[in-house]
Amino acid sequence: MTPDGEEVGDQITILLIEPNPGDTRLFTEPFKDAKLKNKLYTISDGDAALDFVNQRGEYAAKPRPDLILLEPKLPGKSGMDVLSELNNEPALREIPVVALTSSERGEDIVKSHGFDADQYVQKPVEAEDFVNFVQEIEDLWFAIVQEPSTEE
């Protein structure tokens, strides 16, 4: 149980790495309104994101995320740099990373630059679509967790 009485197994920790304050707000407001049990943290640049996942500096007491939502275009270290460091570190490699794209072609564009995330999700354009987007992220998490392991 967490200090506020919630069962740890029932919640996931999501790290949103998004430099656009408007998009961050559009994501976090429906998340709060939906009263989801999951814990959401937001970071706006690649350097802070790496500090967060590595639990360094001001993020030393923060939990390691269960799921990362990553905008490829970041100030500081790029999304590509963040993803590369995650993939090169055994303790972090298992965290699913969802690349947030801004268009239908976004997945092709980021893949063409060698950005190899676990999943790709197009960010909504309209504010009211962010509620569905938040639900899509939750559904995606459950799909990732329930995927049977191919290693035996």
Side-chain angles (χ1 to χ4, degrees):
M1 295 268 248
T2 63
D4 37 5
E6 293 181 44
E7 292 188 32
V8 174
D10 289 346
Q11 75 178 34
I12 61 172
T13 301
I14 299 172
L15 177 61
L16 172 64
I17 307 168
E18 169 61 62
N20 182 324
D23 284 354
T24 298
R25 184 182 53 77
L26 287 172
F27 185 85
T28 57
E29 285 178 359
F31 196 90
K32 289 176 189 170
D33 292 345
K35 295 181 174 53
L36 302 174
K37 290 182 181 180
N38 303 328
K39 186 70 178 164
L40 175 67
Y41 294 90
T42 61
I43 299 290
S44 61
D45 67 78
D47 296 307
L50 289 171
D51 285 346
F52 189 100
V53 297
N54 285 295
Q55 298 171 303
R56 297 186 294 230
E58 67 181 281
Y59 305 107
K62 299 295 184 194
R64 182 158 284 153
D66 298 305
L67 177 65
I68 297 173
L69 307 176
L70 176 61
E71 164 60 53
K73 298 176 187 171
L74 297 173
K77 288 196 178 192
S78 71
M80 178 74 81
D81 293 336
V82 171
L83 188 58
S84 177
E85 190 163 322
L86 292 172
N87 287 333
N88 289 329
E89 182 64 44
L92 305 175
R93 186 178 306 145
E94 300 303 316
I95 301 171
V97 177
V98 177
L100 303 175
T101 64
S102 55
S103 68
E104 288 181 21
R105 295 195 53 235
E107 179 177 346
D108 294 333
I109 293 168
V110 295
K111 280 184 174 180
S112 74
H113 294 298
F115 196 90
D116 189 25
D118 296 303
Q119 298 285 330
Y120 300 84
V121 176
Q122 181 181 349
K123 290 191 276 187
V125 177
E126 302 297 325
E128 57 272 6
D129 294 336
F130 268 82
V131 174
N132 292 332
F133 178 70
V134 169
Q135 185 60 52
E136 183 180 343
I137 295 300
E138 281 210 318
D139 293 345
L140 179 63
W141 163 254
F142 288 115
I144 290 170
V145 168
Q146 295 175 4
E147 276 183 5
S149 174
T150 56
E151 298 175 19
E152 293 194 39

